[in-house]
Each structure stands twice: as structure tokens, then as C-alpha cells.
Amino acid sequence: MLVECTDFTAGEKIDFDRAVKHGKNNLSDSENFICAVDVRRARAGGLRPIPQKIDSNSICGYDGTVDSVSDYQAAAPKKLNRSGTGVIGYEESSLSRIQIWERKLLDFSLRNSLLNFRITKNALPILTHDLAALEDSLADGVSFSIRELPSEWTASLRDARLYEIENENDLATNIASEEFKSKRLCAVMHDEELEKTLKNIYRTTKSSIEENGSNTLFLALGFLKWYESDISEKPRYAPLIMIPVELVKSSHNKGYLLRSRQEETQINVTLIEYLRQIFELKIPSLDPLPEDEHGTDIPLVFNTVRNCILDKKRWNVVNTACLGQFSFGQFVMWSDLRNRADELMQNKVVAGLIDKKITVEQEENPLTVSELDERIAPDDLAIPLSADSSQMLAIAEAAKRKSFVLHGPPGTGKSQTITNLIANALYHGKSVLFVAEKMAALNVVQHRLENIGLAPFCLELHSNKASKSSVLSQLEKSLEVGRIKHPEKYKATADRLKAMRVSMNSVIDGLHRKHESGISVYDAIEQYETCAEFKNKITIPQEVINTVNDDRIEQLSSLILSYKNSVDGVGDIVNNPLKNISLTEYSIPLREKLYSDCVNLLNLYNNAKSSVERIFGTFNINAELSEKSIKNILNLCRALLIPSAFSPCLILENNYNAVSQKLNNYYESICNENREKQEIEKVFTSGIYEYNCIQALNEWNVAQSSWILSRHSKQKKLLKEVAAFCVMPNAVTKENIINWYQRLINFNKLHND
């Protein structure tokens, strides 16, 4: 309500209604109206009437009281309430293996924001007047908008201190209290910086949820101010109470709303464990946190911590709040070890790691890859995706509830095998929990299951989709899927597949079955392929192959080795001039006979040489005396001795060289024709010689210049005509038909000539 304040001093002449009317009249007179002041908001912002100075040593406040400036003393700090603290107690015990794991999971370095919190681009300090009231409101589901520092925040540190002395409260607390009533939280930032920080926090939180499935956004209430040692000058700040919260984009004011995720509020266990191990401060167990009517009992927690740090100089609990990113990935594992150790030890693998020994029970008849088809029927496993023998073995072992590690480089089908594992488990009526460190791995398997029709049976428990409505929606989809009866033909298909396996395995067994020689057909082929240089050079009799055994192979190997040693001593036998001698005994008469035969052979050679030289001289032949030239002379002599070998006209021809050239040309023409005929008959039948290639070539050329549809039709017709004579499929194509036309025309011309 707007009131004219000057009417209050007019006494009884002006009543309250007229004062209200005068106030409205002032607003209607725009020329004389200067401004309107919200007194309540001004008082909340620390604005008070200017005090009136009475004398040089005293002032009169707005409430009429007079204080002496020289006699002012600061107010004493509030007494610590030690009545409402937790019961301090800690039982020392020897370190077990689980406790060692717990210590390793907690990061005690100063890089950990749970021990050394710093204001970064992903941290937002918030003005608060009462941490307990803020926690209670969040626990009740109240959402708060986040706004920048108010415009009246211009007071210096000294002015704020004076304000605290006068009003028993500081300016920040008073502003925070007024904003809190309107469900707003003030951040210690101005407009532009606040918008940038909130955007970074929102994106980082969303990315963490999508990739890792864990929420990293917490509202830290209360900070422990501590020092690394008594001589350290730099204070460290560690959050005490962590409230899981979320930022939601507001539609009406384009800002962000802060609200609780309605998850369990946590104590900074890392800090508690750090203080116990490093400083030997035994803070009582605050897990679970003590609760009040609305949520966590914040004052009780702070008093408990304060009582434990009384002996530490300069240490203190700071009543402030900050919105920031905190990673609790290892803390979740630490919590499981701390709270579920007995349950985890029921697992044989975990129990073996704790006891430092793993007991492996030997299976009497373990399943192997070679026995898959014999011991596993096709209808025993449901494998919708292709799988090799090693993958099928893993699926079969998983169906028998065995623990194992499936490893392999990228691209070897691990995700495909996991998909088959899940499908087979569903086929046998089992439930499967599939977890992965990255969201990408979950998506790959989920998409594969969706492609094979198992999407309705997949419930996504990822944190980003784990809301009640999302889970109910996924359950609804699975209930809508009708029950499918067992196909009647499934058993028949499985039996037919089993018969095909037996047939194919018989071939494999035949290839790998060991014969009497101890070698399988597969081994023999493999060894034969390694001896490619001896192919078609060595022939082994069939009777040797039929009767070969281990002893025979050993004997032949010994003979081959002996033969090799002999060959190494005498040199190359294949090209030796004495290779055809098959004598195995030597004597003096044999020596004399060999000498006599060699002398006779030498005489015959000399006589033959002189005869050949005479023939060369008679025919005036200029050629080297070689085996080839001697054979040619012998053939000529044999031909001359045959009366009908040459006609008299040929012998008596004066221009013999011209006739000889014609005969040579004719001979070469016949050879070319025969070679071309052999090449043509590799592709065509003999009927191609009757085909009119000249006319077909002309039609093809005419078709080339025709319209596209007409050209295609005519060329297709000509290709069919030529294809009718082909013995090799697809030998004549559109690209090479002109070359074949030309070759056939040239052959016909060569034949006619």
C-alpha cells in the first residue's frame, strides 16, 4: 500500500484513508513525482535512515538509541553447542585385504575436489542465510531459481562489517533470507558470468550422465577449513554434506532451476577417512546421516565435526554452500566394499582374491571346440547372429554358468558374441544384467538386440533413463508383446541342421584322420604344397602309397638322406654325361672293353665329321658344326634319297631362291592360320566360321549412331547371335565384340588367301 508519509506528522487532522489518497495523487502528478521507495526491500538490503549526530562522541540511530563510538566493542562469538553431537567411537582392527582395497579406491591427493575444493568454471558459490532451511526445502521438493547478485550489492567490506554490528547480521545473509522466501538463490556472480558458469555446469552434468551414467552435480553444504600442517599458511576447504541435485532449464524466464534428485544425501566419506588416516581424527560414523522432520539434521552434523576439530588451530566449519561437480565413481565401489563385503565374498572369484588363492574345480569332461557338434545339439542354443567355433564355445560355457574372460582385439566380434550370449540366456528363461564403463558399449549391444527383435525385452537401467515413468514405459512395451508358441517346424529344422553338420564333419574328419603312416590327408596336402619345386618331377608309385606306414616312411627318409649325401659328393647327377650308366660292379675286363668301345666311337665320330664337312662343301653351306645343323643335313640327305620327294621342276628351277621364299611365306601363312584358329576355337565353336561377320560389324556400327533405346536393342541382338557360338560364358562382351568381329574377318581373309 502506498501512503503519503508527511501526513503521519500532521496529527489528527488527516486520517489514514486520506494519507492513502494523497499517496495515489502523488503518483498521478507525473511532473512532481520523482521516485517511490520500497522501505521493506531497502531494510532487507541494509539501507537504514541516516543516523543523526548529537555530539562529537555519540550518534543517534534510526531507533532513537544513543551509542558512544569510543566505547564500542565487537560482539563475542556464539558459544559452541556441544550437547547435540554424535557418539564418538571407533574400533581399530588389523587391515584386511578389503580394507586395503578401500584405501586404494579413495583418492587422498589434493587434486581431489572432495578434499581441496576450488572455485572453477564448474563451481558456483551461493549466498545462504540458513543451510538447514535450504536442505529442508530441497528435501520437500521445492525448486529454486538461481539469480545474479542484486544491484544494491555495492557496499564495501567495512560497510558490511558495520552493518553486521548494528543489525547482528551481515548484508549477504539478509539478502539471501529475503530471496529465499521467494524461492530464489543468489549466486556470488554477476549476470554474464553467472550465465556462462551455469551453462558449463549444465553441459558437464548432462555429458557425464549420458556417457558414464552417473550424476556428478552436488550441492555442498558446509565446508571444513583445514590446513595440511600447523605451519601451513594456505587454507584448504573440503565439503561436508553432499546433496544430489539437478539443473533444469526454466521455460518462463530462460534461466535454470535447482532441485533435488530425491536421492540419498551423503556425507563426504573421503574427508572422514582422510582425517582418520592422516590426522588421526576419529569422527563418529555419520553414515547414514542423522535426520530431522524434513531431511538431514544439518546442525547436528556440523556440531559433531566441530567438536572433533577443537584441538586443531585455525580449523573451522564454514557455513556456506556451493554448487559443483564431484566425482563419486570410486566412492560407489568403496561403498559396496564397505557395506556389502559379506555378500561379495559369496562369489568364488571375489572370495579367491580376498583369500589370495583361487580354487579351480577341474571339470571331468570339459567341452572343447572339436566336440561342439557332438555334444551340443542345434536346438540347445539360440544363436541369432553368426558365430564361429570359439564364440559358440563361449556361449555354451556361459549357458553352464561358468565364469571366464572373453578377450580379443577390436573387430573380432566380442559385442556380437555378447549379443548371442544375452539372446541364448533369454531363450532359456534367464535374466541378464549387462554393464559397461562407457555408454557407447551399451548402445552397440542394445542396437544389435533391437535388430534381432529383442528390444521389448531390454530394460535400460542407465541413470539418464532410470526415472519411474521411463521404467514403467519400457515395462509396458514388454507386456504388449504377445507370447509366441514354440514353432512346430523348429524341431525338424534343428534335426536337418544337425544332419548337415554330420555330413560336413565327416569330410573334415576324413581330412584330419591319421592313417597308418601317422599322417592325415590334410598334413600330406600341406607338406606337398611346401614342395612346389618338385611338382611333376617326382612320381611315387601307387603301391608304395598304399603300403606306406611309419617304418616305411622312416626307411624312405633314410634312403633319401643317403642319396642326398652321395649327390653332394659327386655333384649334379641329372646333367652328368654318365647318368644313363646303370652298372653297379666294376672289373678289369670291363675297363678294357670300355676303352676299346671309346676308341671305336672316336673313329666313328671322326669319319662322320669328315662326311659332314664334305656335304657342307658340296652344298656351299656356311653354318657351324652343331647337333642341330647335323640333323638338318641328315634330313636333307634322306629327302634326296627319296625319288618322289622333290619334283624335277623344283630341282631344275633357275630362280630357286624366289621359289624358296614363296614356300617359306606359304608355310608361315599356314602357321599363322593354325595359331589364329586355335585361339578362336578356344572361345567359339566351329560354326562361327559360317557366321557373316562383315554384315554383323556393319550393323553394329550403324547401331552405334542410333537412338539409345534402338542402339541398345540392336546391340543386344547382335551379342546374342555371337553368344550362340561361344563355348566360354561371357567371353564376348559389348566392349570387345568389335575386336572379335575384326579377328574373324581377318581369319576368313587369311584362310581364303
Side-chain angles (χ1 to χ4, degrees), residues 14 32 41 54 74 94 129 201 252 262 368 440 455 468 471 474 501 517 599 604 610 630 649 654 661 706:
I14 301 176
N32 297 325
R41 184 66 182 87
I54 299 176
S94 59
H129 76 291
I201 294 176
H252 63 280
Q262 299 302 320
T368 61
K468 183 183 296 185
V471 173
Q474 294 181 70
R501 284 184 178 180
S517 61
V599 172
L604 291 174
S610 61
I630 293 175
C649 61
N654 293 329
Q661 184 64 34
S706 303

mmCIF file of all heavy atoms in Angstrom, residues 14 32 41 54 74 94 129 201 252 262 368 440 455 468 471 474 501 517 599 604 610 630 649 654 661 706:
data_model
loop_
_atom_site.group_PDB
_atom_site.id
_atom_site.type_symbol
_atom_site.label_atom_id
_atom_site.label_comp_id
_atom_site.label_asym_id
_atom_site.label_seq_id
_atom_site.Cartn_x
_atom_site.Cartn_y
_atom_site.Cartn_z
ATOM 1 N N ILE A 14 -5.471 14.569 9.656
ATOM 2 C CA ILE A 14 -5.542 13.703 8.470
ATOM 3 C C ILE A 14 -5.582 12.255 8.938
ATOM 4 O O ILE A 14 -4.707 11.814 9.693
ATOM 5 C CB ILE A 14 -4.335 13.930 7.548
ATOM 6 C CG1 ILE A 14 -4.273 15.400 7.083
ATOM 7 C CG2 ILE A 14 -4.400 12.997 6.345
ATOM 8 C CD1 ILE A 14 -3.070 15.724 6.249
ATOM 9 N N ASN A 32 5.622 16.281 -10.802
ATOM 10 C CA ASN A 32 6.250 16.430 -9.492
ATOM 11 C C ASN A 32 6.743 15.107 -8.907
ATOM 12 O O ASN A 32 7.476 15.114 -7.922
ATOM 13 C CB ASN A 32 5.257 17.079 -8.509
ATOM 14 C CG ASN A 32 4.879 18.490 -8.941
ATOM 15 O OD1 ASN A 32 5.715 19.212 -9.480
ATOM 16 N ND2 ASN A 32 3.633 18.874 -8.700
ATOM 17 N N ARG A 41 12.033 -3.592 1.274
ATOM 18 C CA ARG A 41 13.142 -4.137 0.471
ATOM 19 C C ARG A 41 14.430 -3.386 0.772
ATOM 20 O O ARG A 41 15.514 -3.973 0.769
ATOM 21 C CB ARG A 41 12.804 -4.026 -1.023
ATOM 22 C CG ARG A 41 13.859 -4.647 -1.944
ATOM 23 C CD ARG A 41 13.913 -6.150 -1.722
ATOM 24 N NE ARG A 41 14.943 -6.761 -2.547
ATOM 25 C CZ ARG A 41 16.220 -6.873 -2.194
ATOM 26 N NH1 ARG A 41 16.607 -6.385 -1.022
ATOM 27 N NH2 ARG A 41 17.085 -7.450 -2.983
ATOM 28 N N ILE A 54 24.502 13.723 17.482
ATOM 29 C CA ILE A 54 24.128 14.587 18.609
ATOM 30 C C ILE A 54 25.323 15.413 19.060
ATOM 31 O O ILE A 54 25.254 16.630 19.221
ATOM 32 C CB ILE A 54 23.577 13.744 19.763
ATOM 33 C CG1 ILE A 54 22.324 12.989 19.288
ATOM 34 C CG2 ILE A 54 23.246 14.602 20.975
ATOM 35 C CD1 ILE A 54 21.757 12.059 20.315
ATOM 36 N N ALA A 74 33.355 -5.311 19.782
ATOM 37 C CA ALA A 74 32.755 -6.332 18.921
ATOM 38 C C ALA A 74 32.063 -7.381 19.761
ATOM 39 O O ALA A 74 32.487 -7.675 20.883
ATOM 40 C CB ALA A 74 33.823 -6.981 18.042
ATOM 41 N N SER A 94 42.926 -54.802 12.583
ATOM 42 C CA SER A 94 44.010 -55.038 11.633
ATOM 43 C C SER A 94 43.495 -54.892 10.210
ATOM 44 O O SER A 94 42.337 -55.204 9.922
ATOM 45 C CB SER A 94 44.599 -56.438 11.840
ATOM 46 O OG SER A 94 43.577 -57.407 11.656
ATOM 47 N N HIS A 129 21.372 -18.029 3.988
ATOM 48 C CA HIS A 129 21.160 -17.500 5.332
ATOM 49 C C HIS A 129 21.013 -18.619 6.344
ATOM 50 O O HIS A 129 21.313 -18.455 7.518
ATOM 51 C CB HIS A 129 19.908 -16.621 5.353
ATOM 52 C CG HIS A 129 18.632 -17.406 5.347
ATOM 53 N ND1 HIS A 129 18.214 -18.137 4.239
ATOM 54 C CD2 HIS A 129 17.688 -17.603 6.320
ATOM 55 C CE1 HIS A 129 17.071 -18.732 4.517
ATOM 56 N NE2 HIS A 129 16.721 -18.437 5.764
ATOM 57 N N ILE A 201 28.162 -25.839 -16.204
ATOM 58 C CA ILE A 201 27.749 -26.876 -15.247
ATOM 59 C C ILE A 201 26.669 -27.759 -15.859
ATOM 60 O O ILE A 201 26.704 -28.995 -15.728
ATOM 61 C CB ILE A 201 27.242 -26.219 -13.945
ATOM 62 C CG1 ILE A 201 28.389 -25.489 -13.241
ATOM 63 C CG2 ILE A 201 26.633 -27.257 -13.025
ATOM 64 C CD1 ILE A 201 27.954 -24.732 -11.995
ATOM 65 N N HIS A 252 9.981 -20.214 -18.486
ATOM 66 C CA HIS A 252 9.334 -18.902 -18.440
ATOM 67 C C HIS A 252 10.332 -17.754 -18.301
ATOM 68 O O HIS A 252 10.087 -16.658 -18.776
ATOM 69 C CB HIS A 252 8.325 -18.853 -17.289
ATOM 70 C CG HIS A 252 8.938 -19.005 -15.935
ATOM 71 N ND1 HIS A 252 9.287 -20.245 -15.423
ATOM 72 C CD2 HIS A 252 9.276 -18.083 -14.990
ATOM 73 C CE1 HIS A 252 9.801 -20.073 -14.216
ATOM 74 N NE2 HIS A 252 9.815 -18.773 -13.936
ATOM 75 N N GLN A 262 16.100 -36.199 -5.348
ATOM 76 C CA GLN A 262 15.401 -37.102 -4.432
ATOM 77 C C GLN A 262 16.191 -38.398 -4.238
ATOM 78 O O GLN A 262 15.628 -39.493 -4.157
ATOM 79 C CB GLN A 262 13.989 -37.409 -4.961
ATOM 80 C CG GLN A 262 13.100 -36.179 -5.096
ATOM 81 C CD GLN A 262 12.922 -35.422 -3.783
ATOM 82 O OE1 GLN A 262 12.779 -36.022 -2.727
ATOM 83 N NE2 GLN A 262 12.967 -34.095 -3.863
ATOM 84 N N THR A 368 35.179 -78.979 -25.539
ATOM 85 C CA THR A 368 36.198 -78.442 -26.438
ATOM 86 C C THR A 368 35.556 -78.029 -27.750
ATOM 87 O O THR A 368 34.407 -78.391 -28.048
ATOM 88 C CB THR A 368 37.307 -79.470 -26.695
ATOM 89 O OG1 THR A 368 36.735 -80.639 -27.307
ATOM 90 C CG2 THR A 368 37.993 -79.868 -25.392
ATOM 91 N N ALA A 440 28.688 -45.980 -24.957
ATOM 92 C CA ALA A 440 28.791 -46.450 -26.347
ATOM 93 C C ALA A 440 28.726 -47.969 -26.417
ATOM 94 O O ALA A 440 28.093 -48.540 -27.326
ATOM 95 C CB ALA A 440 30.089 -45.941 -26.974
ATOM 96 N N ALA A 455 14.231 -56.003 -28.603
ATOM 97 C CA ALA A 455 14.164 -54.700 -27.934
ATOM 98 C C ALA A 455 13.112 -54.656 -26.823
ATOM 99 O O ALA A 455 13.353 -54.071 -25.764
ATOM 100 C CB ALA A 455 13.911 -53.598 -28.964
ATOM 101 N N LYS A 468 11.071 -43.140 -12.976
ATOM 102 C CA LYS A 468 9.948 -44.050 -12.786
ATOM 103 C C LYS A 468 9.101 -44.153 -14.049
ATOM 104 O O LYS A 468 8.697 -45.247 -14.464
ATOM 105 C CB LYS A 468 9.095 -43.574 -11.615
ATOM 106 C CG LYS A 468 7.925 -44.501 -11.302
ATOM 107 C CD LYS A 468 7.067 -43.933 -10.177
ATOM 108 C CE LYS A 468 7.831 -43.857 -8.884
ATOM 109 N NZ LYS A 468 6.974 -43.414 -7.762
ATOM 110 N N VAL A 471 10.925 -46.280 -16.792
ATOM 111 C CA VAL A 471 10.914 -47.716 -16.490
ATOM 112 C C VAL A 471 9.531 -48.300 -16.720
ATOM 113 O O VAL A 471 9.378 -49.390 -17.304
ATOM 114 C CB VAL A 471 11.385 -47.953 -15.042
ATOM 115 C CG1 VAL A 471 11.217 -49.413 -14.662
ATOM 116 C CG2 VAL A 471 12.840 -47.548 -14.892
ATOM 117 N N GLN A 474 8.930 -48.754 -20.445
ATOM 118 C CA GLN A 474 9.613 -49.921 -21.001
ATOM 119 C C GLN A 474 8.932 -51.220 -20.578
ATOM 120 O O GLN A 474 8.822 -52.162 -21.377
ATOM 121 C CB GLN A 474 11.079 -49.926 -20.548
ATOM 122 C CG GLN A 474 11.888 -48.768 -21.109
ATOM 123 C CD GLN A 474 13.331 -48.814 -20.672
ATOM 124 O OE1 GLN A 474 14.101 -49.675 -21.083
ATOM 125 N NE2 GLN A 474 13.720 -47.884 -19.818
ATOM 126 N N ARG A 501 25.370 -80.911 -40.348
ATOM 127 C CA ARG A 501 26.621 -80.832 -39.599
ATOM 128 C C ARG A 501 27.375 -82.148 -39.651
ATOM 129 O O ARG A 501 28.597 -82.181 -39.842
ATOM 130 C CB ARG A 501 26.327 -80.473 -38.142
ATOM 131 C CG ARG A 501 25.975 -79.015 -37.905
ATOM 132 C CD ARG A 501 25.814 -78.773 -36.407
ATOM 133 N NE ARG A 501 25.513 -77.386 -36.110
ATOM 134 C CZ ARG A 501 25.331 -76.919 -34.884
ATOM 135 N NH1 ARG A 501 25.410 -77.748 -33.842
ATOM 136 N NH2 ARG A 501 25.066 -75.650 -34.679
ATOM 137 N N SER A 517 50.307 -94.375 -41.712
ATOM 138 C CA SER A 517 51.584 -93.655 -41.784
ATOM 139 C C SER A 517 51.721 -92.609 -40.683
ATOM 140 O O SER A 517 52.796 -92.032 -40.512
ATOM 141 C CB SER A 517 51.715 -92.979 -43.151
ATOM 142 O OG SER A 517 50.660 -92.045 -43.339
ATOM 143 N N VAL A 599 87.439 -95.954 -78.201
ATOM 144 C CA VAL A 599 88.291 -95.727 -79.378
ATOM 145 C C VAL A 599 87.471 -95.859 -80.646
ATOM 146 O O VAL A 599 87.585 -95.045 -81.582
ATOM 147 C CB VAL A 599 89.472 -96.704 -79.362
ATOM 148 C CG1 VAL A 599 90.250 -96.624 -80.682
ATOM 149 C CG2 VAL A 599 90.397 -96.412 -78.182
ATOM 150 N N LEU A 604 84.501 -93.374 -85.311
ATOM 151 C CA LEU A 604 83.240 -93.114 -85.996
ATOM 152 C C LEU A 604 82.917 -91.624 -86.011
ATOM 153 O O LEU A 604 82.411 -91.089 -86.998
ATOM 154 C CB LEU A 604 82.104 -93.886 -85.311
ATOM 155 C CG LEU A 604 82.140 -95.413 -85.445
ATOM 156 C CD1 LEU A 604 81.044 -96.049 -84.594
ATOM 157 C CD2 LEU A 604 81.983 -95.839 -86.901
ATOM 158 N N SER A 610 84.138 -85.780 -91.043
ATOM 159 C CA SER A 610 84.674 -85.536 -92.393
ATOM 160 C C SER A 610 83.582 -85.616 -93.441
ATOM 161 O O SER A 610 83.572 -84.836 -94.408
ATOM 162 C CB SER A 610 85.795 -86.536 -92.700
ATOM 163 O OG SER A 610 85.293 -87.867 -92.651
ATOM 164 N N ILE A 630 73.756 -80.771 -88.015
ATOM 165 C CA ILE A 630 73.967 -82.152 -88.491
ATOM 166 C C ILE A 630 72.628 -82.834 -88.727
ATOM 167 O O ILE A 630 72.438 -83.552 -89.728
ATOM 168 C CB ILE A 630 74.827 -82.930 -87.476
ATOM 169 C CG1 ILE A 630 76.246 -82.345 -87.447
ATOM 170 C CG2 ILE A 630 74.864 -84.405 -87.812
ATOM 171 C CD1 ILE A 630 77.131 -82.967 -86.397
ATOM 172 N N CYS A 649 61.010 -80.139 -111.652
ATOM 173 C CA CYS A 649 60.957 -78.705 -111.958
ATOM 174 C C CYS A 649 61.487 -77.871 -110.807
ATOM 175 O O CYS A 649 62.073 -76.815 -111.006
ATOM 176 C CB CYS A 649 59.532 -78.297 -112.328
ATOM 177 S SG CYS A 649 58.365 -78.586 -110.973
ATOM 178 N N ASN A 654 65.620 -72.344 -112.184
ATOM 179 C CA ASN A 654 66.759 -71.432 -112.222
ATOM 180 C C ASN A 654 66.737 -70.468 -111.023
ATOM 181 O O ASN A 654 67.776 -70.253 -110.385
ATOM 182 C CB ASN A 654 66.727 -70.643 -113.541
ATOM 183 C CG ASN A 654 66.976 -71.569 -114.741
ATOM 184 O OD1 ASN A 654 67.693 -72.564 -114.608
ATOM 185 N ND2 ASN A 654 66.382 -71.231 -115.872
ATOM 186 N N GLN A 661 61.480 -68.656 -101.259
ATOM 187 C CA GLN A 661 60.835 -67.581 -100.492
ATOM 188 C C GLN A 661 59.322 -67.735 -100.493
ATOM 189 O O GLN A 661 58.652 -67.532 -99.471
ATOM 190 C CB GLN A 661 61.227 -66.221 -101.091
ATOM 191 C CG GLN A 661 60.692 -65.028 -100.310
ATOM 192 C CD GLN A 661 61.265 -64.963 -98.912
ATOM 193 O OE1 GLN A 661 62.424 -65.341 -98.692
ATOM 194 N NE2 GLN A 661 60.449 -64.517 -97.958
ATOM 195 N N SER A 706 22.665 -44.893 -83.590
ATOM 196 C CA SER A 706 21.204 -44.853 -83.439
ATOM 197 C C SER A 706 20.834 -44.233 -82.107
ATOM 198 O O SER A 706 21.680 -43.967 -81.249
ATOM 199 C CB SER A 706 20.628 -46.275 -83.569
ATOM 200 O OG SER A 706 20.993 -46.848 -84.814
#
